[in-house]
Amino acid sequence: ELIKFLQQNMQYPQMERDNHIEGKVLIKFAVDTDGTVKDITVIKRVSPGLDKEAVRLARLLRFVPGKQ
């Protein structure tokens, strides 16, 4: 479901598309008790546009938090 969500919601930045810039942006984040994503950090950058899009997508994510 995560891959499907990312495919449906990703908007490839025009500048990166025009310049044939591609790669994998690596991010880390925490899931809050209500399932929202917080503390998003870009670990491996590719370009400003792709980095920004990865953070935008992470902010859209909603999880069902685990219980222990």
Side-chain angles (χ1 to χ4, degrees):
E1 287 298 314
L2 179 60
I3 299 299
K4 186 174 161 183
F5 172 83
L6 295 175
Q7 289 173 340
Q8 291 174 347
N9 291 287
M10 183 171 180
Q11 300 169 358
Y12 212 90
Q14 191 62 45
M15 186 188 84
E16 281 73 5
R17 186 179 308 177
D18 293 343
N19 294 308
H20 306 288
I21 297 172
E22 56 185 51
K24 293 181 183 178
V25 178
L26 184 61
I27 61 172
K28 73 175 182 175
F29 56 85
V31 178
D32 207 352
T33 56
D34 64 355
T36 58
V37 173
K38 66 177 187 174
D39 301 331
I40 303 168
T41 306
V42 179
I43 297 172
K44 180 185 171 218
R45 299 182 180 279
V46 175
S47 72
L50 289 176
D51 299 346
K52 186 176 177 181
E53 179 62 9
V55 170
R56 185 189 75 82
L57 284 170
R59 285 193 179 118
L60 293 176
L61 294 172
R62 296 294 177 261
F63 291 95
V64 177
K67 296 179 182 177
Q68 192 172 28

